Amino acid sequence: MAEEQMEEASSSAAASGTPFQLQFDKPIPFQIKLAEWNPEKDLLAMVTDDSKVLLHRFNWQRLWTISPGKCITSICWSPDGKIVALGTEDGFVLLHDVENGKMLRSIKSHDVAIICLNWAEDEPLSRTDKEDLLSYEDRTTRFFPPAPVMPRIGGLNSGDTGLADENEEAIQAFSSASCQRFNILCTGDKDGCICFSIFGIFPIGKININKVPIHVQSSGKRTSYRLQDVSISKVSLSRNLHQLVLLCSGKLINTDNLSLSNDLSVGVHCLHLDTSIFSNRKNELHQVSQQASSIQDLVEVVRASISMMSKQWSNAMNLFHEKFSALPSLLTAHGMESSSEDEFMSLLFGTHTSPALHQFLVSSLGEAGLKRIAKTIESAGRELRIVVSEHLQPAVEIISFRLAELRGLARWRSRFQNIGLDEKLMDGVTERVGMLVVQVERFSRVAATVLYLFQNFLSWVLKCVKILLSEPTDQVPSTNSELVVIFLKFLLDKDPIKQLLETDQIFEWDIDTAKHVEHLVVFGGFTDTKFLERSLAKQFSELEESLKEAFLMPFTTVSSQIHCQGLLPLYPVTSSDALSSTSTPASIAFYKDKDSQHNASSYSSTDYICFKIPDGSLNLRNFVAVIKDFCNSCSTSNTPSLSGFLLHIPVEYECVDLSLYKDNQVVLLLSGKSSSENAGRSWMVMLQTENLSFSQFSRTFPANYYNLQELEALELQLDTDYGKVRSVPHPLSTPLAVSASRGVACIFSSRRHALVYILDEDEDEDEDEGSEME
C-alpha cells in the first residue's frame, strides 16, 4: 500500500536524519492565495484572499501590510529583490518598494486580468560582457541637479499620474537605470496577450498569442496553425533573454485546412517564442529605455505641475470674482447702466463716487475682504513661482537634454534603427520640447506681469476703502494710474494665466508680431512658426502626442521581431474547463547546462516544464508530467530531442501544487483525498529529476495533437534513493513557495497554518539569519 510505503519512507528518513528541517509551524488568521520568496533576502510576500499584501521575514515577523484597493491576481519580485510586482484583475501592474510597501508605479499594461508575471535579468557571460553592458554613461547628472519630483503645495496633490507622491528617494533610485543589470518584466493575461517592460517600467513589446502564426514542420511539410480564445497561465523568460516558454489554454486551428479542427484541439499548449531581440540588442535597448523611462517620469512631473498651478490659480481667482461680482448687481439695483470698469475709472480720475461703488467698497467688500483677496493672490503667485522654478522648468529642461541624447542615438542608424528609434520622429519631438521651453519662459513672464498688476490694483483699492471709511470724501489716493488702467482694461474680466493653462485657448497676434516671430523661428533652424498661438497646456499636449508616437516605434518594431518557434500541445480540456486550466499547478524553469563554456559568446540552457494533468484528460488520473528540452527540440540545429516522463501519484493523494527547484529538482505537495483514509495527512516530496528515466517522444502533427501518452509512466516510490519525503501534519492547499537562492519552502494548510521548511540539509542557518533584511 502507498500508505505503508510512506510510513516506511518517513521512518527511513527519520533514521538517517530529517529530510526537511521544519523551521516553524504557525497559525495564520487569513487564507493565502499567492506567495513568492524574495530572490535576495529571507522575505516572503503573500497575497490574501481579500487581496491584502503581506511581507514577512523568514522568522515570520511581519514587516508591513498594504491594501492596494484592487483584486491581485499575480505576484513576482524584481531580480534584485527591491521591488515586488503585483498584477491586478483590471490589467494594472503595481510596483511596490520592499522597504515600506509604498507604491512606486501603477502601470496600465493590459485590458483584462494579469494571470502571470515573470521578471528576468540578463546574466552576463563574463566580467567583460558586464562592463560592456554598463559602458553607456548617462551624462544628465553631469549637467543637471537631481531631477525634480512631483509638486505638493498647500495640501493639494497632483492627482493620479501613475507615480507615487511619497517615497521620493526610492522613486529616484528606481528610475535610475544606469546602474541596473538589464532586465525585463513579462506579464501575461487571460485574453492571450503578453507585455514586455524593460526595468518593469518602460513598455518595449506586446504580442497577442491569438494572432501569432505558428508554423510546424512535419514529414517534410510545413503546416500553419494559430490559437484561438487563448488564456496565458505561465510565462518564463530564459536568463539570457533569448527565449520564452509559455503555457496557455486555447483552441488550435489549422489555418491551412480549417476542417481538421475538432473538439480535441481545445487544450493546454506550450509555446516557445524567440525573444533574441532582447539579448542581441540589449545594449541599445538599455540606453533607449534609460532615457525614455526618465523622460516619462519627467512628463508626469510637468503634467502634475500644470495641474497644480491651474488648481492653485483657479482657487485664487474664484475668490476674487466672488467678491467683485457684487458690484454689477449693486449698479443694476441703483438703476445705473455703467460697468464696473467705468466706475473704477471714474474713481481713478477723481470724479464723483457713485452710491453703488461706495456701498460696494465700504459694505460689500470692506477692508478685511480686500486684504483676504490680496493675501490669497499673493500666496497663489508665490506658489506658482515655486512650481515653475523647482518643478516645471527643470523638468522641461532635463526632458529637452534627454531627448537630444536620444536624437543623437537615432542618428546611429546601424545600431538603433533595428529597434525602431526613428531619426525623423526624434527630430520632431525635439523641436516640440524646445517650443515648450519657450512656453515656460513665456508663462513665467506673463504670470509675473499679471501678479504685479494685481498687486498694484488691490493696493490702490485698499487705499480708497480706507479713505472712504475715514470720512466721506471725493479725495483719490495717489497711485500709478497707468497700471490701474491696464488692469481694468485687460485683467478685470480676463485671466491670461488661466488661458495659458488651458488646452483649448488660441491666441491671436498682429501681423507684424507674427512675421517677426516667424523670422526668429526660421533663423533658429525650427519649423514651428505658430507656437505663440498655443497655450502652455496645449504645447505640452502636443509634446505628449509626439513622444507617444516616437516611443511607439521601438515598441512596434521590437514586437514584430518576437516570433513563435515551436508548439507542443500538452493535454486536451473541454471548452468549459479552459479558463480553470490557468489555476492547474504548473512550473517552468531554465537551467544552465553544466558543460557550458562561460567564456563563449553564448551559453546553453535546458528548459524544464512541470505540470499536473487534470484527471480524465488523456485517460490519465493523478499524473504529473515533467518535460525538458522543448526549446532545443524546436531548433533546426542538431540538438537533443524532446523528452520527459509521467509520474503517477498514489491514488490516496492528490497533487495540490508543485514547483521546479534548483539543480533540476521538482517539489510536490501531496494532500490526502477527503474520500480516503489519509484525509488530513499530507507530504512534501522533492525529486531529483536526473535520477529518473526520461524518454523521448515526438511532436507529430496533425495525426495526434497530444503525445504525452508516449512517455514512460513512473510510479512515485516514496523512498529516498531519488528524492526526499517529509510528512506534514495538516491538509495542504495552494500555494507552494520555494526559494532556490535561500533553500527554503513555505507551504500552507487548508486549516490556516503556515509552515516553513529548510530544503537543503547543508543549509547554514547562521548564514540565513545574517542575510535577513536589516
Side-chain angles (χ1 to χ4, degrees), residues 91 93 107-112 114 116-119 184-189 192-198 200 202-209 232 235 237 244 246 273 275 278 555 558-559 562:
V93 174
I107 305 166
K108 179 70 171 176
S109 301
H110 298 260
D111 296 324
V112 295
I114 299 174
C116 52
L117 300 170
N118 176 241
W119 206 328
I184 293 179
L185 174 63
C186 308
T187 59
D189 69 30
C193 290
I194 302 176
C195 294
F196 303 90
S197 301
I198 299 177
F202 180 67
I204 196 58
K206 181 176 183 178
I207 56 172
N208 186 342
I209 300 300
I232 309 293
V235 292
L237 191 60
L244 180 139
L246 66 94
L273 301 184
T275 57
F278 296 138
F555 182 90
V558 171
S559 299
I562 300 174

mmCIF file of all heavy atoms in Angstrom, residues 91 93 107-112 114 116-119 184-189 192-198 200 202-209 232 235 237 244 246 273 275 278 555 558-559 562:
data_model
loop_
_atom_site.group_PDB
_atom_site.id
_atom_site.type_symbol
_atom_site.label_atom_id
_atom_site.label_comp_id
_atom_site.label_asym_id
_atom_site.label_seq_id
_atom_site.Cartn_x
_atom_site.Cartn_y
_atom_site.Cartn_z
ATOM 1 N N GLY A 91 -5.958 44.719 -15.093
ATOM 2 C CA GLY A 91 -4.873 44.911 -16.043
ATOM 3 C C GLY A 91 -3.763 45.839 -15.634
ATOM 4 O O GLY A 91 -2.930 46.207 -16.464
ATOM 5 N N VAL A 93 -0.245 46.804 -13.496
ATOM 6 C CA VAL A 93 0.924 46.285 -12.800
ATOM 7 C C VAL A 93 1.302 47.315 -11.738
ATOM 8 O O VAL A 93 1.560 48.478 -12.057
ATOM 9 C CB VAL A 93 2.107 46.050 -13.759
ATOM 10 C CG1 VAL A 93 3.353 45.641 -12.974
ATOM 11 C CG2 VAL A 93 1.764 44.981 -14.779
ATOM 12 N N ILE A 107 0.995 50.935 -13.523
ATOM 13 C CA ILE A 107 1.116 50.925 -14.983
ATOM 14 C C ILE A 107 -0.023 50.103 -15.579
ATOM 15 O O ILE A 107 -0.213 48.942 -15.223
ATOM 16 C CB ILE A 107 2.469 50.330 -15.416
ATOM 17 C CG1 ILE A 107 3.615 51.096 -14.740
ATOM 18 C CG2 ILE A 107 2.623 50.361 -16.931
ATOM 19 C CD1 ILE A 107 4.952 50.400 -14.835
ATOM 20 N N LYS A 108 -0.765 50.701 -16.485
ATOM 21 C CA LYS A 108 -1.857 50.005 -17.167
ATOM 22 C C LYS A 108 -1.275 49.260 -18.365
ATOM 23 O O LYS A 108 -1.065 49.827 -19.426
ATOM 24 C CB LYS A 108 -2.921 51.010 -17.609
ATOM 25 C CG LYS A 108 -4.102 50.405 -18.351
ATOM 26 C CD LYS A 108 -4.990 49.565 -17.460
ATOM 27 C CE LYS A 108 -6.262 49.151 -18.181
ATOM 28 N NZ LYS A 108 -7.123 48.262 -17.382
ATOM 29 N N SER A 109 -1.037 47.963 -18.195
ATOM 30 C CA SER A 109 -0.397 47.171 -19.236
ATOM 31 C C SER A 109 -1.389 46.355 -20.048
ATOM 32 O O SER A 109 -1.148 46.072 -21.220
ATOM 33 C CB SER A 109 0.633 46.219 -18.620
ATOM 34 O OG SER A 109 1.621 46.926 -17.905
ATOM 35 N N HIS A 110 -2.487 45.965 -19.427
ATOM 36 C CA HIS A 110 -3.447 45.071 -20.080
ATOM 37 C C HIS A 110 -4.864 45.616 -19.896
ATOM 38 O O HIS A 110 -5.102 46.517 -19.089
ATOM 39 C CB HIS A 110 -3.356 43.664 -19.482
ATOM 40 C CG HIS A 110 -2.021 43.007 -19.658
ATOM 41 N ND1 HIS A 110 -1.761 42.070 -20.633
ATOM 42 C CD2 HIS A 110 -0.858 43.142 -18.967
ATOM 43 C CE1 HIS A 110 -0.512 41.666 -20.538
ATOM 44 N NE2 HIS A 110 0.059 42.307 -19.537
ATOM 45 N N ASP A 111 -5.789 45.022 -20.639
ATOM 46 C CA ASP A 111 -7.200 45.389 -20.522
ATOM 47 C C ASP A 111 -7.974 44.413 -19.645
ATOM 48 O O ASP A 111 -9.118 44.686 -19.277
ATOM 49 C CB ASP A 111 -7.851 45.447 -21.913
ATOM 50 C CG ASP A 111 -7.243 46.529 -22.785
ATOM 51 O OD1 ASP A 111 -6.887 47.593 -22.241
ATOM 52 O OD2 ASP A 111 -7.117 46.308 -24.009
ATOM 53 N N VAL A 112 -7.378 43.258 -19.350
ATOM 54 C CA VAL A 112 -8.041 42.232 -18.549
ATOM 55 C C VAL A 112 -7.081 41.757 -17.463
ATOM 56 O O VAL A 112 -5.968 42.268 -17.330
ATOM 57 C CB VAL A 112 -8.498 41.053 -19.435
ATOM 58 C CG1 VAL A 112 -9.577 41.495 -20.414
ATOM 59 C CG2 VAL A 112 -7.315 40.447 -20.184
ATOM 60 N N ILE A 114 -4.330 40.122 -15.230
ATOM 61 C CA ILE A 114 -2.969 39.632 -15.455
ATOM 62 C C ILE A 114 -2.809 38.348 -14.645
ATOM 63 O O ILE A 114 -2.833 38.363 -13.418
ATOM 64 C CB ILE A 114 -1.934 40.687 -15.025
ATOM 65 C CG1 ILE A 114 -2.118 41.971 -15.852
ATOM 66 C CG2 ILE A 114 -0.519 40.149 -15.178
ATOM 67 C CD1 ILE A 114 -1.237 43.123 -15.404
ATOM 68 N N CYS A 116 -0.182 35.994 -14.886
ATOM 69 C CA CYS A 116 1.166 35.570 -14.506
ATOM 70 C C CYS A 116 2.177 36.683 -14.760
ATOM 71 O O CYS A 116 2.002 37.519 -15.654
ATOM 72 C CB CYS A 116 1.575 34.308 -15.274
ATOM 73 S SG CYS A 116 1.371 34.433 -17.060
ATOM 74 N N LEU A 117 3.235 36.669 -13.954
ATOM 75 C CA LEU A 117 4.337 37.618 -14.056
ATOM 76 C C LEU A 117 5.645 36.852 -14.021
ATOM 77 O O LEU A 117 5.770 35.833 -13.338
ATOM 78 C CB LEU A 117 4.311 38.612 -12.887
ATOM 79 C CG LEU A 117 3.082 39.501 -12.696
ATOM 80 C CD1 LEU A 117 3.162 40.219 -11.363
ATOM 81 C CD2 LEU A 117 2.968 40.506 -13.815
ATOM 82 N N ASN A 118 6.625 37.367 -14.743
ATOM 83 C CA ASN A 118 7.974 36.802 -14.691
ATOM 84 C C ASN A 118 8.959 37.934 -14.961
ATOM 85 O O ASN A 118 8.867 38.613 -15.979
ATOM 86 C CB ASN A 118 8.137 35.691 -15.729
ATOM 87 C CG ASN A 118 9.551 35.140 -15.781
ATOM 88 O OD1 ASN A 118 10.221 35.212 -16.803
ATOM 89 N ND2 ASN A 118 10.038 34.595 -14.675
ATOM 90 N N TRP A 119 9.882 38.141 -14.014
ATOM 91 C CA TRP A 119 10.852 39.241 -14.126
ATOM 92 C C TRP A 119 12.230 38.617 -14.262
ATOM 93 O O TRP A 119 12.774 38.060 -13.315
ATOM 94 C CB TRP A 119 10.788 40.123 -12.877
ATOM 95 C CG TRP A 119 11.219 41.537 -13.122
ATOM 96 C CD1 TRP A 119 12.146 41.969 -14.011
ATOM 97 C CD2 TRP A 119 10.749 42.710 -12.442
ATOM 98 N NE1 TRP A 119 12.282 43.334 -13.937
ATOM 99 C CE2 TRP A 119 11.433 43.809 -12.985
ATOM 100 C CE3 TRP A 119 9.832 42.928 -11.415
ATOM 101 C CZ2 TRP A 119 11.221 45.114 -12.530
ATOM 102 C CZ3 TRP A 119 9.622 44.230 -10.975
ATOM 103 C CH2 TRP A 119 10.298 45.313 -11.529
ATOM 104 N N ILE A 184 13.883 42.429 -17.788
ATOM 105 C CA ILE A 184 12.603 42.587 -18.473
ATOM 106 C C ILE A 184 11.506 41.927 -17.647
ATOM 107 O O ILE A 184 11.662 40.790 -17.190
ATOM 108 C CB ILE A 184 12.643 41.978 -19.886
ATOM 109 C CG1 ILE A 184 13.593 42.763 -20.783
ATOM 110 C CG2 ILE A 184 11.252 41.937 -20.510
ATOM 111 C CD1 ILE A 184 13.715 42.238 -22.180
ATOM 112 N N LEU A 185 10.411 42.648 -17.465
ATOM 113 C CA LEU A 185 9.232 42.116 -16.800
ATOM 114 C C LEU A 185 8.244 41.641 -17.863
ATOM 115 O O LEU A 185 7.847 42.416 -18.743
ATOM 116 C CB LEU A 185 8.585 43.191 -15.925
ATOM 117 C CG LEU A 185 7.248 42.824 -15.265
ATOM 118 C CD1 LEU A 185 7.419 41.655 -14.294
ATOM 119 C CD2 LEU A 185 6.643 44.028 -14.555
ATOM 120 N N CYS A 186 7.864 40.358 -17.787
ATOM 121 C CA CYS A 186 6.878 39.776 -18.704
ATOM 122 C C CYS A 186 5.557 39.615 -17.955
ATOM 123 O O CYS A 186 5.539 39.114 -16.828
ATOM 124 C CB CYS A 186 7.327 38.424 -19.215
ATOM 125 S SG CYS A 186 8.981 38.389 -19.927
ATOM 126 N N THR A 187 4.472 40.005 -18.575
ATOM 127 C CA THR A 187 3.146 39.876 -17.973
ATOM 128 C C THR A 187 2.206 39.213 -18.972
ATOM 129 O O THR A 187 2.157 39.599 -20.138
ATOM 130 C CB THR A 187 2.594 41.259 -17.570
ATOM 131 O OG1 THR A 187 2.524 42.097 -18.734
ATOM 132 C CG2 THR A 187 3.497 41.928 -16.556
ATOM 133 N N GLY A 188 1.463 38.215 -18.520
ATOM 134 C CA GLY A 188 0.518 37.510 -19.388
ATOM 135 C C GLY A 188 -0.889 37.608 -18.851
ATOM 136 O O GLY A 188 -1.115 37.507 -17.644
ATOM 137 N N ASP A 189 -1.873 37.800 -19.750
ATOM 138 C CA ASP A 189 -3.248 37.980 -19.283
ATOM 139 C C ASP A 189 -4.169 36.866 -19.776
ATOM 140 O O ASP A 189 -3.776 35.993 -20.541
ATOM 141 C CB ASP A 189 -3.782 39.366 -19.671
ATOM 142 C CG ASP A 189 -4.002 39.542 -21.178
ATOM 143 O OD1 ASP A 189 -4.303 38.551 -21.861
ATOM 144 O OD2 ASP A 189 -3.895 40.684 -21.664
ATOM 145 N N GLY A 192 -4.784 36.263 -23.663
ATOM 146 C CA GLY A 192 -3.731 35.797 -24.554
ATOM 147 C C GLY A 192 -2.679 36.821 -24.923
ATOM 148 O O GLY A 192 -1.895 36.573 -25.849
ATOM 149 N N CYS A 193 -2.609 37.950 -24.223
ATOM 150 C CA CYS A 193 -1.601 38.970 -24.530
ATOM 151 C C CYS A 193 -0.437 38.881 -23.544
ATOM 152 O O CYS A 193 -0.642 38.647 -22.348
ATOM 153 C CB CYS A 193 -2.206 40.366 -24.483
ATOM 154 S SG CYS A 193 -3.357 40.709 -25.836
ATOM 155 N N ILE A 194 0.779 39.097 -24.068
ATOM 156 C CA ILE A 194 1.984 39.151 -23.244
ATOM 157 C C ILE A 194 2.649 40.494 -23.487
ATOM 158 O O ILE A 194 2.883 40.889 -24.631
ATOM 159 C CB ILE A 194 2.958 38.009 -23.581
ATOM 160 C CG1 ILE A 194 2.286 36.653 -23.391
ATOM 161 C CG2 ILE A 194 4.221 38.095 -22.729
ATOM 162 C CD1 ILE A 194 3.156 35.481 -23.795
ATOM 163 N N CYS A 195 2.948 41.211 -22.405
ATOM 164 C CA CYS A 195 3.622 42.511 -22.493
ATOM 165 C C CYS A 195 5.020 42.394 -21.908
ATOM 166 O O CYS A 195 5.255 41.640 -20.962
ATOM 167 C CB CYS A 195 2.834 43.589 -21.750
ATOM 168 S SG CYS A 195 1.229 43.955 -22.469
ATOM 169 N N PHE A 196 5.944 43.169 -22.473
ATOM 170 C CA PHE A 196 7.335 43.189 -22.021
ATOM 171 C C PHE A 196 7.698 44.614 -21.637
ATOM 172 O O PHE A 196 7.447 45.551 -22.402
ATOM 173 C CB PHE A 196 8.268 42.708 -23.131
ATOM 174 C CG PHE A 196 7.943 41.327 -23.650
ATOM 175 C CD1 PHE A 196 7.068 41.156 -24.716
ATOM 176 C CD2 PHE A 196 8.511 40.199 -23.072
ATOM 177 C CE1 PHE A 196 6.766 39.900 -25.200
ATOM 178 C CE2 PHE A 196 8.217 38.933 -23.544
ATOM 179 C CZ PHE A 196 7.340 38.776 -24.611
ATOM 180 N N SER A 197 8.285 44.772 -20.452
ATOM 181 C CA SER A 197 8.682 46.099 -19.973
ATOM 182 C C SER A 197 10.115 46.046 -19.460
ATOM 183 O O SER A 197 10.435 45.214 -18.602
ATOM 184 C CB SER A 197 7.759 46.579 -18.848
ATOM 185 O OG SER A 197 6.424 46.648 -19.290
ATOM 186 N N ILE A 198 10.961 46.923 -19.989
ATOM 187 C CA ILE A 198 12.353 46.999 -19.533
ATOM 188 C C ILE A 198 12.371 47.693 -18.170
ATOM 189 O O ILE A 198 11.736 48.734 -17.976
ATOM 190 C CB ILE A 198 13.207 47.762 -20.549
ATOM 191 C CG1 ILE A 198 13.208 47.040 -21.894
ATOM 192 C CG2 ILE A 198 14.642 47.917 -20.038
ATOM 193 C CD1 ILE A 198 13.961 47.754 -22.990
ATOM 194 N N GLY A 200 10.781 46.951 -15.807
ATOM 195 C CA GLY A 200 9.431 46.928 -15.268
ATOM 196 C C GLY A 200 8.634 48.183 -15.517
ATOM 197 O O GLY A 200 7.455 48.247 -15.153
ATOM 198 N N PHE A 202 9.355 50.564 -18.602
ATOM 199 C CA PHE A 202 9.311 51.081 -19.971
ATOM 200 C C PHE A 202 8.784 49.995 -20.904
ATOM 201 O O PHE A 202 9.465 49.005 -21.147
ATOM 202 C CB PHE A 202 10.690 51.546 -20.427
ATOM 203 C CG PHE A 202 10.695 52.097 -21.831
ATOM 204 C CD1 PHE A 202 10.027 53.278 -22.117
ATOM 205 C CD2 PHE A 202 11.342 51.445 -22.861
ATOM 206 C CE1 PHE A 202 10.011 53.788 -23.407
ATOM 207 C CE2 PHE A 202 11.345 51.946 -24.143
ATOM 208 C CZ PHE A 202 10.664 53.133 -24.419
ATOM 209 N N PRO A 203 7.555 50.139 -21.434
ATOM 210 C CA PRO A 203 6.988 49.106 -22.319
ATOM 211 C C PRO A 203 7.753 49.024 -23.626
ATOM 212 O O PRO A 203 7.961 50.034 -24.299
ATOM 213 C CB PRO A 203 5.549 49.580 -22.533
ATOM 214 C CG PRO A 203 5.570 51.046 -22.247
ATOM 215 C CD PRO A 203 6.631 51.273 -21.217
ATOM 216 N N ILE A 204 8.200 47.827 -23.969
ATOM 217 C CA ILE A 204 9.027 47.652 -25.161
ATOM 218 C C ILE A 204 8.451 46.638 -26.136
ATOM 219 O O ILE A 204 8.975 46.472 -27.241
ATOM 220 C CB ILE A 204 10.472 47.249 -24.745
ATOM 221 C CG1 ILE A 204 11.446 47.441 -25.909
ATOM 222 C CG2 ILE A 204 10.489 45.819 -24.226
ATOM 223 C CD1 ILE A 204 11.519 48.842 -26.465
ATOM 224 N N GLY A 205 7.374 45.958 -25.771
ATOM 225 C CA GLY A 205 6.805 44.996 -26.702
ATOM 226 C C GLY A 205 5.515 44.394 -26.180
ATOM 227 O O GLY A 205 5.268 44.347 -24.983
ATOM 228 N N LYS A 206 4.684 43.942 -27.119
ATOM 229 C CA LYS A 206 3.437 43.269 -26.778
ATOM 230 C C LYS A 206 3.054 42.345 -27.914
ATOM 231 O O LYS A 206 3.139 42.721 -29.086
ATOM 232 C CB LYS A 206 2.321 44.293 -26.528
ATOM 233 C CG LYS A 206 0.986 43.666 -26.133
ATOM 234 C CD LYS A 206 -0.036 44.749 -25.821
ATOM 235 C CE LYS A 206 -1.358 44.143 -25.345
ATOM 236 N NZ LYS A 206 -2.356 45.187 -24.998
ATOM 237 N N ILE A 207 2.667 41.130 -27.566
ATOM 238 C CA ILE A 207 2.204 40.190 -28.582
ATOM 239 C C ILE A 207 0.882 39.587 -28.128
ATOM 240 O O ILE A 207 0.661 39.377 -26.941
ATOM 241 C CB ILE A 207 3.233 39.071 -28.865
ATOM 242 C CG1 ILE A 207 3.577 38.329 -27.578
ATOM 243 C CG2 ILE A 207 4.482 39.613 -29.523
ATOM 244 C CD1 ILE A 207 4.416 37.099 -27.816
ATOM 245 N N ASN A 208 0.039 39.339 -29.087
ATOM 246 C CA ASN A 208 -1.238 38.671 -28.845
ATOM 247 C C ASN A 208 -1.130 37.266 -29.420
ATOM 248 O O ASN A 208 -1.041 37.086 -30.635
ATOM 249 C CB ASN A 208 -2.372 39.442 -29.512
ATOM 250 C CG ASN A 208 -3.740 38.883 -29.169
ATOM 251 O OD1 ASN A 208 -3.866 37.749 -28.710
ATOM 252 N ND2 ASN A 208 -4.773 39.668 -29.399
ATOM 253 N N ILE A 209 -1.114 36.253 -28.545
ATOM 254 C CA ILE A 209 -0.923 34.876 -28.994
ATOM 255 C C ILE A 209 -2.031 34.452 -29.943
ATOM 256 O O ILE A 209 -1.824 33.603 -30.817
ATOM 257 C CB ILE A 209 -0.842 33.927 -27.776
ATOM 258 C CG1 ILE A 209 0.332 34.319 -26.875
ATOM 259 C CG2 ILE A 209 -0.680 32.481 -28.214
ATOM 260 C CD1 ILE A 209 1.680 34.270 -27.556
ATOM 261 N N ILE A 232 -3.353 32.947 -21.053
ATOM 262 C CA ILE A 232 -1.993 32.631 -20.606
ATOM 263 C C ILE A 232 -2.033 32.192 -19.143
ATOM 264 O O ILE A 232 -2.690 32.825 -18.322
ATOM 265 C CB ILE A 232 -1.062 33.850 -20.747
ATOM 266 C CG1 ILE A 232 -1.162 34.453 -22.157
ATOM 267 C CG2 ILE A 232 0.378 33.462 -20.420
ATOM 268 C CD1 ILE A 232 -0.639 33.585 -23.254
ATOM 269 N N VAL A 235 4.428 32.154 -17.836
ATOM 270 C CA VAL A 235 5.463 32.633 -18.753
ATOM 271 C C VAL A 235 6.804 32.531 -18.041
ATOM 272 O O VAL A 235 6.886 32.725 -16.826
ATOM 273 C CB VAL A 235 5.217 34.091 -19.218
ATOM 274 C CG1 VAL A 235 3.994 34.189 -20.107
ATOM 275 C CG2 VAL A 235 5.091 35.030 -18.031
ATOM 276 N N LEU A 237 10.952 33.617 -19.020
ATOM 277 C CA LEU A 237 11.972 34.111 -19.925
ATOM 278 C C LEU A 237 13.327 33.562 -19.492
ATOM 279 O O LEU A 237 13.656 33.594 -18.299
ATOM 280 C CB LEU A 237 11.992 35.642 -19.902
ATOM 281 C CG LEU A 237 12.797 36.391 -20.963
ATOM 282 C CD1 LEU A 237 12.299 36.078 -22.370
ATOM 283 C CD2 LEU A 237 12.728 37.880 -20.706
ATOM 284 N N LEU A 244 11.511 32.456 -24.677
ATOM 285 C CA LEU A 244 10.440 32.485 -23.691
ATOM 286 C C LEU A 244 9.552 31.269 -23.887
ATOM 287 O O LEU A 244 9.196 30.922 -25.021
ATOM 288 C CB LEU A 244 9.620 33.766 -23.822
ATOM 289 C CG LEU A 244 8.452 33.932 -22.833
ATOM 290 C CD1 LEU A 244 8.389 35.363 -22.329
ATOM 291 C CD2 LEU A 244 7.116 33.558 -23.465
ATOM 292 N N LEU A 246 5.897 29.555 -22.661
ATOM 293 C CA LEU A 246 4.637 29.900 -22.026
ATOM 294 C C LEU A 246 3.672 28.731 -22.090
ATOM 295 O O LEU A 246 3.730 27.900 -23.004
ATOM 296 C CB LEU A 246 4.022 31.142 -22.677
ATOM 297 C CG LEU A 246 3.546 31.035 -24.131
ATOM 298 C CD1 LEU A 246 2.058 30.682 -24.203
ATOM 299 C CD2 LEU A 246 3.800 32.335 -24.879
ATOM 300 N N LEU A 273 8.735 31.008 -27.758
ATOM 301 C CA LEU A 273 8.871 32.260 -28.505
ATOM 302 C C LEU A 273 10.334 32.650 -28.598
ATOM 303 O O LEU A 273 11.076 32.549 -27.612
ATOM 304 C CB LEU A 273 8.085 33.383 -27.831
ATOM 305 C CG LEU A 273 6.582 33.190 -27.658
ATOM 306 C CD1 LEU A 273 5.958 34.444 -27.061
ATOM 307 C CD2 LEU A 273 5.908 32.844 -28.976
ATOM 308 N N THR A 275 12.796 35.364 -28.457
ATOM 309 C CA THR A 275 12.934 36.738 -27.948
ATOM 310 C C THR A 275 14.389 37.202 -28.052
ATOM 311 O O THR A 275 14.849 37.998 -27.239
ATOM 312 C CB THR A 275 12.460 36.821 -26.483
ATOM 313 O OG1 THR A 275 13.211 35.885 -25.697
ATOM 314 C CG2 THR A 275 10.982 36.501 -26.370
ATOM 315 N N PHE A 278 15.894 40.782 -27.520
ATOM 316 C CA PHE A 278 16.273 41.330 -26.224
ATOM 317 C C PHE A 278 17.741 41.079 -25.909
ATOM 318 O O PHE A 278 18.414 41.946 -25.341
ATOM 319 C CB PHE A 278 15.408 40.727 -25.118
ATOM 320 C CG PHE A 278 13.952 41.064 -25.234
ATOM 321 C CD1 PHE A 278 12.980 40.106 -24.998
ATOM 322 C CD2 PHE A 278 13.540 42.339 -25.587
ATOM 323 C CE1 PHE A 278 11.633 40.411 -25.104
ATOM 324 C CE2 PHE A 278 12.197 42.652 -25.695
ATOM 325 C CZ PHE A 278 11.239 41.686 -25.458
ATOM 326 N N PHE A 555 8.498 50.189 -29.653
ATOM 327 C CA PHE A 555 7.543 49.206 -29.144
ATOM 328 C C PHE A 555 7.040 48.310 -30.278
ATOM 329 O O PHE A 555 7.023 47.079 -30.170
ATOM 330 C CB PHE A 555 6.387 49.948 -28.475
ATOM 331 C CG PHE A 555 5.339 49.065 -27.868
ATOM 332 C CD1 PHE A 555 5.449 48.647 -26.552
ATOM 333 C CD2 PHE A 555 4.231 48.665 -28.596
ATOM 334 C CE1 PHE A 555 4.475 47.845 -25.979
ATOM 335 C CE2 PHE A 555 3.258 47.854 -28.043
ATOM 336 C CZ PHE A 555 3.377 47.447 -26.723
ATOM 337 N N VAL A 558 10.089 46.174 -31.953
ATOM 338 C CA VAL A 558 10.511 45.025 -31.142
ATOM 339 C C VAL A 558 9.420 43.959 -31.134
ATOM 340 O O VAL A 558 9.704 42.761 -31.238
ATOM 341 C CB VAL A 558 10.856 45.483 -29.714
ATOM 342 C CG1 VAL A 558 11.071 44.283 -28.804
ATOM 343 C CG2 VAL A 558 12.100 46.360 -29.725
ATOM 344 N N SER A 559 8.158 44.375 -31.015
ATOM 345 C CA SER A 559 7.058 43.411 -31.003
ATOM 346 C C SER A 559 7.043 42.564 -32.268
ATOM 347 O O SER A 559 6.774 41.355 -32.222
ATOM 348 C CB SER A 559 5.713 44.141 -30.852
ATOM 349 O OG SER A 559 5.654 44.866 -29.644
ATOM 350 N N ILE A 562 9.393 39.368 -32.380
ATOM 351 C CA ILE A 562 9.176 38.233 -31.476
ATOM 352 C C ILE A 562 8.321 37.210 -32.207
ATOM 353 O O ILE A 562 7.199 37.515 -32.618
ATOM 354 C CB ILE A 562 8.494 38.687 -30.170
ATOM 355 C CG1 ILE A 562 9.369 39.719 -29.457
ATOM 356 C CG2 ILE A 562 8.216 37.503 -29.256
ATOM 357 C CD1 ILE A 562 8.719 40.343 -28.235
#
